[in-house]
Amino acid sequence: NAGVTQTPKFQVLKTGQSMTLQCAQDMNHEYMSWYRQDPGMGLRLIHYSVGAGITDQGEVPNGYNVSRSTTEDFPLRLLSAAPSQTSVYFCASRIRGETQYFGPGTRLLVL
Amino acid sequence: GESVGLHLPTLSVQEGDNSIINCAYSNSASDYFIWYKQESGKGPQFIIDIRSNMDKRQGQRVTVLLNKTVKHLSLQIAATQPGDSAVYFCAENIVGYQKVTFGTGTKLQVIP
């Protein structure tokens, strides 16, 4: 199993640009989540999904969209990038009631 | 609001010594706790977990202790090695709920 994979590893955007961060898992996990990690702060939940076709907002959803058309994939879309979205983004997946497995992260810089 | 925190932001230990990393949580309803290790430039990696019906759980060189009375969680690493150098953070969850609350992390530095 590859586990949780994320692409790209690094990305630089200009303010106002849009992009999609990709996340995929091959463990048939029902739950998938997107977090951002900023210095001095714990991981904060952006959006999550409890199964294909079902998504919901986390703590910091503004400026981000998600969709879950398959069990494997959970892309995160930045509609109009802002400098405040400079962060490291982690995708995670799990089975209900069990621990999460994280991807390697995407480092995003918005200029 | 509810939160998970750590007492020490940085911990330096001599190679071969035991390490203890502490965590305080405030949500008495939490019943599942996890410790993660995060190396520089990588995603968090699961180390060990414990459910609220237990007060101690052991893994390979790691032990997690849970004291529900004072809402305290600790991670003990035996015979600390240079490869243990990383940021460690705890997380809490209520089983059945999506929300997982993460602490900010403690940096463990192992002195050779």
Side-chain angles (χ1 to χ4, degrees):
Chain A
N1 286 352
V4 180
T5 58
Q6 291 183 239
T7 56
K9 291 184 178 180
F10 304 96
Q11 184 70 48
V12 179
L13 291 178
K14 294 181 180 178
T15 297
Q17 287 184 315
S18 62
M19 78 160 295
T20 299
L21 280 65
Q22 301 291 345
C23 174
Q25 53 93 8
D26 60 358
M27 299 174 282
N28 201 32
H29 286 173
E30 51 193 344
Y31 283 27
M32 295 187 74
S33 304
W34 275 103
Y35 293 89
R36 59 178 290 172
Q37 187 176 44
D38 300 294
M41 303 183 74
L43 289 160
R44 292 184 292 168
L45 182 65
I46 304 172
H47 284 285
Y48 67 96
S49 169
V50 298
I54 305 170
T55 64
D56 207 345
Q57 297 181 348
E59 303 174 62
V60 288
N62 292 339
Y64 308 95
N65 275 358
V66 293
S67 60
R68 185 97 179 271
S69 57
T70 67
T71 299
E72 295 78 19
D73 301 298
F74 191 43
L76 178 72
R77 298 183 187 84
L78 279 69
L79 307 174
S80 178
S84 61
Q85 294 179 303
T86 293
S87 189
V88 182
Y89 292 86
F90 290 102
C91 179
S93 73
R94 68 185 176 105
I95 296 172
R96 183 177 182 275
E98 301 294 329
T99 191
Q100 297 191 94
Y101 293 88
F102 287 85
T106 294
R107 284 145 187 81
L108 177 66
L109 173 63
V110 182
L111 301 175
Chain B
E2 304 291 356
S3 64
V4 174
L6 296 174
H7 298 308
L8 300 173
T10 304
L11 178 65
S12 297
V13 298
Q14 204 74 35
E15 181 178 357
D17 287 351
N18 296 335
S19 302
I20 299 176
I21 301 172
N22 296 304
C23 175
Y25 66 94
S26 58
N27 188 350
S28 58
S30 293
D31 55 7
Y32 181 52
F33 305 88
I34 315 107
W35 278 102
Y36 289 96
K37 172 185 180 182
Q38 187 174 21
E39 297 175 281
S40 181
K42 296 185 178 180
Q45 177 185 3
F46 169 81
I47 301 173
I48 192 167
D49 59 2
I50 189 168
R51 299 189 187 275
S52 59
N53 61 350
M54 303 173 69
D55 54 20
K56 180 179 180 179
R57 191 172 188 208
Q58 289 183 296
Q60 188 176 12
R61 281 201 309 117
V62 295
T63 300
V64 56
L65 299 177
L66 176 63
N67 186 330
K68 295 181 287 293
T69 301
V70 295
K71 299 188 186 71
H72 185 266
L73 193 69
S74 69
L75 176 71
Q76 300 179 1
I77 304 174
T80 311
Q81 302 169 359
D84 294 328
S85 293
V87 173
Y88 292 81
F89 55 89
C90 62
E92 62 175 319
N93 175 236
I94 301 172
V95 174
Y97 287 82
Q98 169 64 18
K99 182 175 175 61
V100 179
T101 302
F102 294 88
T104 55
T106 290
K107 183 176 182 179
L108 177 64
Q109 295 178 323
V110 181
I111 304 167

